Amino acid sequence: MGLFDFFKKKETAPEAQEALDKGLEKTKDGFFNKITKAVAGKSSVDDEVLDNLEEVLVTSDVGVGTTLKIIKRIEERVARDKYLSTSELNFLLRDEIQLLLSENNSNDFRQFEYGDHKPYVIMVVGVNGVGKTTTIGKLAHKLKEANLKVVLGAADTFRAAAVDQLKLWGERVGVRVVAQPMGSDPASVAFDTLQSAVANGEDVVIIDTAGRLHNKIGLMNELGKIKQVMQKVVPNAPHEILLVLDASTGQNAFEQCKQFTEATDVNALAITKLDGTAKGGVVIGISDQFKIPVKYIGVGEKINDLQLFDKKEFVNSLFK
């Protein structure tokens, strides 16, 4: 069974949708308050409304580049249709954002399967404080509930707190954690984790890594070494390099994404803490700017509040 199928099976659509709606409340409220002000006193979409809308999108952390794309598309629709009322603007904006996300995320996670990879290896990267270890714990919980055997590797050996936190999640979720003393070589931890996963016939390995954005060369070397060592045990590992970003950091999340994508081959994104911020627009902007699929979103603190990202549901919830 694919991971997406499991998410849908365990969380009935109403439960998942309710969590998503609640998680996006702050973003939605801020977004629509700004749009209401942008069109105040106007009956049709003119240049002034478009200028105001551009400001709304930028200040909602959609990002300048993505905002300009959206505005250009709406301008083309206005020119083609000759007249658009401001009441139609929300529907038009929703459609254009959905279209943009569809273009950027060619991967359709409804079909996500592990295929022939066993163990399937996920290396998780991201700066400290973005919810990296919590995301790993919640993901391990989802996978374990799908009857997959999961093992976690505590390769963030620079902070004792990181190893301890991962061990706590392991205990809470009921999955094995491979760890070494603080200061150990992260690549050695990753090697041990994969070796034991192969020996135990485990399905999924999730490797936590240090959340330091030191100089890019150091980061590249460290992550590169971890990858090389893992490939001695499992060729082509890691199959997924998951970058965790905190939505509440807004534009700073763009910079972190830039740094990590230059340092390693990130092929999936998890955007956390959407429930605690009005900056949910970063999901749209980061997806567009970096052409990397957003795979998971965190919409709350509960253990089940990690969801597979569904672009249509996300945008519908934002405009509900």
Side-chain angles (χ1 to χ4, degrees):
M1 178 168 59
L3 182 58
F4 186 91
D5 297 327
F6 166 69
F7 271 47
K8 287 301 181 188
K9 181 182 175 187
K10 292 300 285 188
E11 294 175 2
T12 62
E15 287 170 345
Q17 191 64 52
E18 187 181 339
L20 181 63
D21 292 346
K22 190 176 179 186
L24 292 178
E25 263 176 14
K26 290 185 179 179
T27 294
K28 186 164 56 176
D29 289 349
F31 192 57
F32 281 109
N33 284 341
K34 289 175 182 176
I35 288 180
T36 302
K37 289 176 183 173
V39 300
K42 294 281 187 176
S43 59
S44 63
V45 177
D46 58 16
D47 287 345
E48 187 181 351
V49 167
L50 288 170
D51 285 345
N52 290 341
L53 180 61
E54 185 176 321
E55 187 179 339
V56 167
L57 291 168
V58 170
T59 57
S60 298
D61 289 280
V62 171
V64 175
T66 304
T67 293
L68 293 176
K69 275 188 195 177
I70 293 169
I71 294 297
K72 185 182 177 188
R73 289 177 180 217
I74 292 176
E75 282 176 337
E76 288 168 357
R77 289 276 289 270
V78 170
R80 190 168 67 244
D81 298 346
K82 303 303 177 192
Y83 176 87
L84 275 174
S85 69
T86 51
S87 61
E88 293 174 283
L89 188 58
N90 283 351
F91 299 104
L92 183 57
L93 191 57
R94 183 192 63 192
D95 290 348
E96 292 301 340
I97 290 172
Q98 266 184 0
L99 193 60
L100 198 67
L101 284 171
S102 297
E103 290 167 6
N104 296 330
N105 291 323
S106 55
N107 301 51
D108 186 350
F109 294 114
R110 291 179 187 276
Q111 303 301 320
F112 180 73
E113 297 286 347
Y114 289 109
D116 298 326
H117 299 303
K118 183 174 177 175
Y120 183 82
V121 182
I122 304 170
M123 182 167 79
V124 183
V125 300
V127 301
N128 295 330
V130 294
K132 188 158 51 78
T133 311
T134 301
T135 297
I136 292 170
K138 289 178 178 179
L139 180 55
H141 169 69
K142 295 286 190 185
L143 296 170
K144 185 166 183 276
E145 283 200 326
N147 296 317
L148 294 167
K149 292 171 71 178
V150 184
V151 59
L152 309 180
D156 182 356
T157 58
F158 294 93
R159 292 187 309 130
V163 177
D164 291 343
Q165 191 184 0
L166 199 68
K167 284 179 178 176
L168 283 172
W169 268 107
E171 289 171 17
R172 182 180 179 188
V173 174
V175 301
R176 202 164 58 84
V177 177
V178 175
Q180 291 181 9
M182 187 180 165
S184 299
D185 180 6
S188 172
V189 177
F191 182 85
D192 283 357
T193 308
L194 264 66
Q195 208 169 43
S196 68
V198 170
N200 290 318
E202 279 152 330
D203 300 298
V204 186
V205 178
I206 308 177
I207 303 291
D208 190 13
T209 62
R212 301 170 304 150
L213 249 185
H214 43 314
N215 69 77
K216 244 178 299 181
I217 300 299
L219 186 66
M220 283 180 188
N221 291 344
E222 188 174 295
L223 297 177
K225 184 181 175 186
I226 293 172
K227 284 169 66 175
Q228 285 168 9
V229 166
M230 287 197 293
Q231 285 168 5
K232 291 178 182 178
V233 185
V234 178
N236 302 319
H239 307 104
E240 186 174 308
I241 300 180
L242 178 68
L243 172 61
V244 181
L245 299 166
D246 177 351
S248 68
T249 62
Q251 291 304 298
N252 198 28
F254 282 81
E255 182 57 30
Q256 288 172 25
C257 197
K258 180 174 180 288
Q259 297 282 339
F260 276 98
T261 52
E262 288 174 359
T264 191
D265 302 317
V266 174
N267 59 5
L269 299 174
I271 300 183
T272 66
K273 307 183 187 180
L274 281 164
D275 56 307
T277 182
K279 298 181 177 182
V282 297
V283 174
I284 300 160
I286 284 176
S287 165
D288 176 54
Q289 294 295 302
F290 294 95
K291 302 294 186 273
I292 299 169
V294 176
K295 191 164 187 179
Y296 307 104
I297 53 172
V299 293
E301 294 180 4
K302 295 198 294 286
I303 198 165
N304 280 314
D305 284 339
L306 181 72
Q307 296 189 358
L308 271 169
F309 180 64
D310 182 309
K311 42 193 170 281
K312 187 174 181 180
E313 285 180 7
F314 178 85
V315 178
N316 283 342
S317 180
L318 196 58
F319 281 83
K320 193 175 281 183

